[in-house]
Amino acid sequence: MFDSRLAEGSRVKILELGKFYPPERGGIETLLRLWAEGFARQGATVECVVAHGPKSPGARGRTLTETINGVRVHRLPSFGEVFSTSVSPAYPYAAWRWRCDLVHAHFPNPLADLAVVLAPRKIPVVLSWHSDIVRQKAVMRVYLPLQRALLRRADRIVVATPYHLEFSPWLPEFRHKVEVIPFGLELERFRLSGSGMSKVAELRAQAQGRAILLNVGRLVGYKGQRFAIEALREVAGAELWLV
């Protein structure tokens, strides 16, 4: 439906529900920007609702709206965080304040979950499931009803790999809604200059012919670097680089 409307020149209105937005840094924040800007380039009107993050402490008590590369970004007032969730009272009503044709939400983010459940029923919802909740397991007993309501409300649930579905305790029940869509990349970001190629050659030489296993990410438990370290003992002729 939305592809045909874009082809006809009709501007689809997409509401993106994220936690933070660049310059706040993080994997989901990067993907959120890529999707939002990509939809805007295809002709959609994109409103992105997030909470103020740590990089804007002076403005956290007021709404800040700005247009970034064609995306209308609304940073809502935030009064700190509880269990890694922003305290932003205005957020749950985002779908009523910014009317749209489609809601695209990013999990995990309890604020976005609540906004989806409270959204007008006629608005279709696409949920990008980035990860199960693994760090705050202690609160799952309280949170689980909201999570189930979110999964029931979503029209489509998008995961990046089949393993997100296979190993999740929550998604198999909703398998009929799940679509596997791998993450895209901005290839230009990884194009190397001459000096960059020289640095690559220098680093490879330091490995002295060993295979290089590379991990780039924060050193937190759920990223799983410890499994790579343990597995390295069983892999001959390789070394692991953690960035």
Side-chain angles (χ1 to χ4, degrees), residues 28-235:
I28 295 179
E29 286 75 19
T30 299
L31 290 167
L32 173 59
R33 179 185 62 81
L34 289 173
W35 273 317
E37 292 182 0
F39 295 148
R41 284 195 299 269
Q42 292 183 52
T45 297
V46 183
E47 306 274 356
C48 184
V49 173
V50 296
H52 275 295
K55 289 185 179 296
S56 56
R60 299 188 85 175
R62 59 184 176 87
T63 298
L64 174 63
T65 297
E66 55 188 330
T67 299
I68 306 174
N69 296 331
V71 179
R72 192 82 164 157
V73 180
H74 308 279
R75 304 181 200 268
L76 302 187
S78 175
F79 305 98
E81 292 188 5
V82 177
F83 293 111
S84 299
T85 300
S86 297
V87 180
S88 181
Y91 196 119
Y93 307 100
W96 292 92
R97 183 173 176 182
W98 291 281
R99 295 304 182 102
C100 60
D101 300 309
L102 174 73
V103 170
H104 182 204
H106 299 265
F107 183 93
N109 180 5
L111 277 178
D113 304 346
L114 188 57
V116 166
V117 172
L118 294 177
R121 301 297 299 179
K122 66 180 181 179
I123 301 177
V125 173
V126 174
L127 177 67
S128 285
W129 187 278
H130 296 274
S131 170
D132 291 349
I133 294 177
V134 294
R135 286 189 298 172
Q136 289 87 13
K137 289 184 177 180
V139 302
M140 278 303 296
R141 184 176 300 178
V142 176
Y143 177 68
L144 193 56
L146 175 59
Q147 179 178 285
R148 287 189 57 80
L150 170 73
L151 292 171
R152 289 194 299 266
R153 176 65 178 86
D155 295 275
R156 287 291 185 272
I157 302 167
V158 178
V159 295
T161 74
Y163 302 106
H164 284 77
L165 173 61
E166 180 180 349
F167 292 103
S168 171
W170 321 114
L171 292 183
E173 179 183 350
F174 302 91
R175 184 183 301 270
H176 61 287
K177 298 183 180 183
V178 175
E179 301 282 351
V180 178
I181 303 178
F183 294 141
L185 292 174
E186 284 183 317
L187 295 181
E188 278 300 317
R189 293 182 59 201
F190 301 95
R191 194 178 302 279
L192 290 175
S193 62
S195 60
M197 292 297 294
S198 298
K199 186 64 176 179
V200 168
E202 177 185 333
L203 292 171
R204 287 190 178 279
Q206 293 177 14
Q208 298 180 344
R210 291 184 291 271
I212 300 168
L213 309 179
L214 174 67
N215 174 274
V216 181
R218 290 183 297 126
L219 294 177
V220 292
Y222 71 91
K223 295 290 186 180
Q225 288 96 341
R226 65 184 184 277
F227 299 115
I229 294 171
E230 292 169 1
L232 194 63
R233 292 180 296 194
E234 308 298 327
V235 181

